[in-house]
Amino acid sequence: MSPSGSEYIKTIRSQIDEVDPADVHGVLNDSVAIVDVRETEEFARGHVPGARHVPRGYLESRIDGVVADRSQRVILYCASGQRSALAANTLINELGFENVQSMTGGYTLWKDRGYDVVIPATLTPEQRERYSRHLLIPEVGEEGQQKLLNAKVLCLGAGGLGSPVSLYLAAAGVGTLGIVDNDDVDLSNLQRQVIHTTDRIGVAKVDSAEQSINAINPDVKVVKYRTRLDASNIMEIISGWDVIVDGVDNFPTRYLLNDASVRLGLPVVSAAILGFEGQLSVFSPYEGPCYRCLFRVPPPAELAPSCGANGVLGVLPGTMGLLQATEVIKLVVGAGDPLIGRLLMYDALAATTTELKVRRDPQCPICSREPSEISDEEMGVFPDYEAFCAAAG
Ligand SMILES: [Zn+2]
């Protein structure tokens, strides 16, 4: 008389070698092939770290692509230990594998024991729709979109440059956006700072920016810093971000940011605007020049834009901010040639762009030395700011 299904499984399990999750946990980093034989949807919901995936239905056709050596130790698992027992039986008795075990209790027991699991990142159907135009370009694709969703980008300033940068990075799906700004929305901002609105005049810029970002893409987490960046807080604020976007409007903060970002090894996408002219570069510490290699000393005070109110064409920060956002996305997904060691200058009136090559300065007071050699006292060293502006008359 033929056995029932459950009797058959019981017999197979008595004939194969079973191993406890604790023992599997102990050999995770060894040269043992851990193979998950569950269905694709089960694997996608979470699996044992480092596990390779061969659904039981494809075992015979795909196992050679995953475990080429039949003498290699193989541990199979499924959800409960039944399918993996049957798969182990196939590998041993039909395919001649020599050292195969099945994990008792499967993935369920593994999780119950509290061992680490890997939840593979996959886009939800809504994300596939939202980012479908990114998925269609190979330079971004699903992998690049995941990188954007996992990226942490810090925008210094929610003003002219910070507005388009953070709006477009939010739309593009950068998962975490930090915003540092101490100001409130003012009527005179609205000619160019498109992240803010007339009904939010008087509201803190970080709160106003967060509202607009959430309205465009609720997936984006906004981290707000309602403060002025200074020597006492800069290291704490900029640590842990992947890319810094420099939209600050004054030289002392620029120098301070440069020195802190070199110490921390963080890339800075920097832009500056005045009148009809904009400049853009990417400072990647030790890979290319830093801001001080380019501007060893600040410009003459009378030319320093931050000493008073300066005019700017309303669309110019939009143009330059979107070039910044573009460089950020390229850095995150690893596509194209970032603007490292190059200074792009845009003249809106003439409608011309000019590019200058910029080299690392071997005598640079900051990046010619190791990060550990740069002291707190040296960071952001700059002529006294009040005196600097007073000299401008
Ligand atoms: Zn330098």
Side-chain angles (χ1 to χ4, degrees), residues 290 292-293 364 367:
C290 78
R292 281 189 196 264
C293 295
C364 173
C367 81

Side-chain angles (χ1 to χ4, degrees), residues 258 262 288-294 360-361 364-368:
N258 177 70
V262 169
C290 78
Y291 190 76
R292 281 189 196 264
C293 295
L294 183 56
R360 281 184 72 186
D361 175 0
C364 173
I366 295 296
C367 81
S368 66

Side-chain angles (χ1 to χ4, degrees), residues 116-192:
D116 279 353
V117 298
V118 173
I119 314 274
T122 49
L123 297 177
T124 64
E126 200 210 311
Q127 287 174 324
R128 282 187 185 286
E129 179 84 32
R130 180 184 285 275
Y131 306 118
S132 56
R133 298 306 187 273
H134 268 168
L135 303 185
L136 289 170
I137 40 177
E139 290 79 0
V140 183
E142 179 150 357
E143 197 188 338
Q145 190 61 54
Q146 287 293 359
K147 286 181 184 170
L148 288 169
L149 288 165
N150 291 330
K152 298 178 70 183
V153 177
L154 181 68
C155 293
L156 304 183
L161 293 163
S163 289
V165 169
S166 45
L167 279 178
Y168 268 86
L169 290 182
V174 167
T176 308
L177 276 177
I179 300 176
V180 186
D181 202 303
N182 195 35
D183 288 339
D184 297 338
V185 178
D186 181 88
L187 181 57
S188 69
N189 300 151
L190 300 179
Q191 165 249 23
R192 64 202 174 282

Side-chain angles (χ1 to χ4, degrees), residues 79 257 263-264 339 349 376 379:
L257 169 65
R263 265 177 76 169
L264 293 167
L339 203 62
L349 272 188
D376 285 351
M379 282 208 323

